[in-house]
Amino acid sequence: MVLWDWNFDTILGLEFIKNVSPAFMRFDQDQMRKGIGLFVDSVEKTNAFRLSMALGIPAYTLSPKGARALLEKCLPLKRHLIEVPLMGRSFTNTGIDNQMNMVYPEINAFVTLPPLGKVCKTPPRSGAGREARARWRP
């Protein structure tokens, strides 16, 4: 699996070297919205890193084997806590993108930096969206 984009109003977990140094990144969604034209015209080199956590799945590619693994391990969706040990936090599974985080370490999941796609989300309208965004603010 390759994740080409993720929600910029949350965090991204990745590994530069497998099982050596996990890292979490935060992004500025408002700044991305303002600079979307520069993003589209960018010629920055993109690299792929092992994916450990991402919220939002607006653009991704799956192999048949990866699709089978995700279907088997993600469905049916169940409400439970997903632990993020490196951050000392947990969050409630509220959708398929949350559940996929449990499988990323088991499959060949990668994320591209910078992203090769970008969806600029509008501010959440539901209470659940506001709660999710608030969970990741320091």
Side-chain angles (χ1 to χ4, degrees):
M1 173 182 179
V2 178
L3 186 65
W4 306 108
D5 185 23
W6 59 92
N7 291 356
F8 259 50
D9 60 348
T10 65
I11 59 170
L12 175 70
L14 55 86
E15 294 180 83
F16 292 103
I17 301 171
K18 186 176 183 178
N19 297 321
V20 173
S21 183
F24 280 96
M25 302 175 125
R26 286 187 61 178
F27 301 90
D28 188 329
Q29 179 172 264
D30 294 333
Q31 186 67 32
M32 173 56 86
R33 285 183 183 134
K34 292 174 189 170
I36 195 69
L38 295 171
F39 172 79
V40 169
D41 293 337
S42 173
V43 293
E44 299 295 323
K45 181 180 177 188
T46 298
N47 291 296
F49 299 96
R50 292 194 178 278
L51 175 63
S52 58
M53 181 183 174
L55 297 175
I57 47 173
Y60 62 95
T61 302
L62 282 175
S63 69
K65 182 179 177 182
R68 274 191 300 279
L70 288 169
L71 283 170
E72 288 171 6
K73 297 179 184 239
C74 291
L75 297 177
L77 288 178
K78 296 177 184 164
R79 193 166 183 86
H80 60 88
L81 285 179
I82 295 176
E83 300 294 326
V84 187
L86 188 62
M87 296 191 69
R89 295 183 182 191
S90 61
F91 62 95
T92 303
N93 177 30
T94 57
I96 191 70
D97 61 325
N98 298 164
Q99 185 65 29
M100 289 168 69
N101 286 295
M102 305 295 289
V103 184
Y104 292 151
E106 300 173 25
I107 64 174
N108 259 344
F110 292 86
V111 61
T112 58
L113 282 175
L116 289 178
K118 191 75 234 120
V119 173
C120 290
K121 293 177 20 176
T122 57
R125 295 183 183 157
S126 71
R130 283 189 297 277
E131 290 170 16
R133 192 171 65 212
R135 279 193 299 263
W136 295 108
R137 297 209 186 269

